């Protein structure tokens, strides 16, 4: 494997430094809820080395700078000049989903959304105990925070092939669900609270085939429970 080019590291760092404060001050899904004829890549909410040693700057450089950006570029090409072009990203996802939709548009729109949500589901020195409001909801739905964490880990580790594990709100209850490929809980009327990416490009440079080690490290050391609480609906 070759080292990440220096210019990509510098670009990722400058994007993060310029956008971090603004991104953290915005609502839970900044950059995703507005209509635009050309969607843009939301900045990382931290520097590209902020999640080390759990996730390396090298992985973030490829994951954010190449994979995430590719979904954005593909989406903008696919929707140019079409009815989708001026829709908010969530509307593109729901309208393009399903047999009567447009699989290519859905896959790229959902992956753009899923990845932006993933970056915000983590923070340096994360993990630990959820804030009180979320903790009470977790305990009411799962019995304990540890039981919730075990379900999240189980969903992420057991997802066959590429996909995602999610903590979601379903009415008054919280649930753990997993989705394959680009699928997203909002197409089922669920409210995502946080997610874990288990596509191989999320962890292979750092963990090779040890998905369980990656998942457990993210949940123990990076997961941002405060972000999940901000996404709760009353």
């Amino acid at each position: 494997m070759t080292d990440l080019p220096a210019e990509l590291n510098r670009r990722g760092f400058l994007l993060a430094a310029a956008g971090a404060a603004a991104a953290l001050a915005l609502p839970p899904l900044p950059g995703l809820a507005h209509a635009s004829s050309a969607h843009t890549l939301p900045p990382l909410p931290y520097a590209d080395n902020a999640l080390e040693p759990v996730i390396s700057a090298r992985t973030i450089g490829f994951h954010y700078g190449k994979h995430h950006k590719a979904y954005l570029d593909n989406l903008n090409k696919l929707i140019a000049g079409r009815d989708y072009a001026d829709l908010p990203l969530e509307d593109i996802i729901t309208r393009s989903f399903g047999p009567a939709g447009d699989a290519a548009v859905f896959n790229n729109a959902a992956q753009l959304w899923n990845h932006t949500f993933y970056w915000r589901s983590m923070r340096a020195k994360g993990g630990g105990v959820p804030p009180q409001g979320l903790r009470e909801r977790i305990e009411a739905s799962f019995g304990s925070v540890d039981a919730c964490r075990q379900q999240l880990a189980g969903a992420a580790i057991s997802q066959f092939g590429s996909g995602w594990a999610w903590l979601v709100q379903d009415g008054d209850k919280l649930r753990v669900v997993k989705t394959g490929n680009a699928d997203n809980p909002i197409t089922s009327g669920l409210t995502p609270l946080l997610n874990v990416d288990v596509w191989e490009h999320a962890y292979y440079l750092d963990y090779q085939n040890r998905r369980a080690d990656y998942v457990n490290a993210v949940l123990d050391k990076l997961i941002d429970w405060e972000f999940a609480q901000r996404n709760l609906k009353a």
Side-chain angles (χ1 to χ4, degrees):
M1 296 180 183
T2 59
D3 289 335
L4 183 66
E7 61 269 24
L8 184 55
N9 267 331
R10 290 196 296 272
R11 183 181 62 79
F13 178 83
L14 291 172
L15 277 172
L24 291 173
L26 290 169
L29 296 180
L32 299 184
H34 65 283
S36 172
S37 57
H39 292 270
T40 59
L41 188 66
L44 287 170
Y46 32 70
D48 59 359
N49 64 351
L51 305 184
E52 291 185 335
V54 177
I55 300 176
S56 68
R58 186 166 183 255
T59 286
I60 292 214
F62 278 106
H63 194 174
Y64 172 75
K66 292 187 178 293
H67 292 280
H68 192 175
K69 186 177 183 300
Y71 297 123
L72 168 75
D73 293 342
N74 290 339
L75 178 65
N76 282 332
K77 291 176 184 177
L78 287 165
I79 66 175
R82 301 177 63 185
D83 291 343
Y84 292 116
D86 293 315
L87 293 178
L89 190 56
E90 288 87 348
D91 288 352
I92 296 176
I93 290 168
T94 55
R95 293 192 190 191
S96 62
F97 176 71
D102 186 317
V105 169
F106 172 79
N107 286 336
N108 285 282
Q111 283 292 81
L112 177 58
W113 197 101
N114 294 353
H115 277 83
T116 299
F117 198 79
Y118 168 67
W119 302 126
R120 286 166 173 76
S121 293
M122 300 180 292
R123 64 180 177 87
K125 300 180 181 178
V129 179
Q132 182 177 353
L134 177 62
R135 186 175 73 249
E136 290 173 353
R137 300 288 287 272
I138 287 174
E139 290 171 347
S141 296
F142 298 96
S144 69
V145 173
D146 187 59
C148 175
R149 185 218 171 279
Q150 289 182 27
Q151 284 198 33
L152 267 171
I157 294 166
S158 65
Q159 168 59 34
F160 183 77
S162 300
W164 305 83
W166 307 78
L167 178 64
V168 301
Q169 183 177 357
D170 184 4
D172 294 332
K173 296 291 186 180
L174 305 188
R175 296 170 50 199
V176 167
V177 299
K178 57 184 177 179
T179 60
N181 298 318
D183 285 354
N184 181 303
I186 66 176
T187 60
S188 301
L190 303 173
T191 300
L193 303 183
L194 55 78
N195 69 3
V196 179
D197 187 349
V198 291
W199 283 66
E200 281 193 342
H201 61 239
Y203 61 88
Y204 204 83
L205 290 179
D206 296 328
Y207 296 88
Q208 287 77 53
N209 64 329
R210 294 177 290 112
R211 181 192 285 188
D213 290 349
Y214 153 76
V215 168
N216 285 313
V218 167
L219 293 176
D220 288 343
K221 299 177 181 179
L222 296 182
I223 207 71
D224 190 347
W225 294 113
E226 292 181 1
F227 174 72
Q229 176 160 282
R230 293 196 299 273
N231 291 323
L232 280 171
K233 293 184 177 178

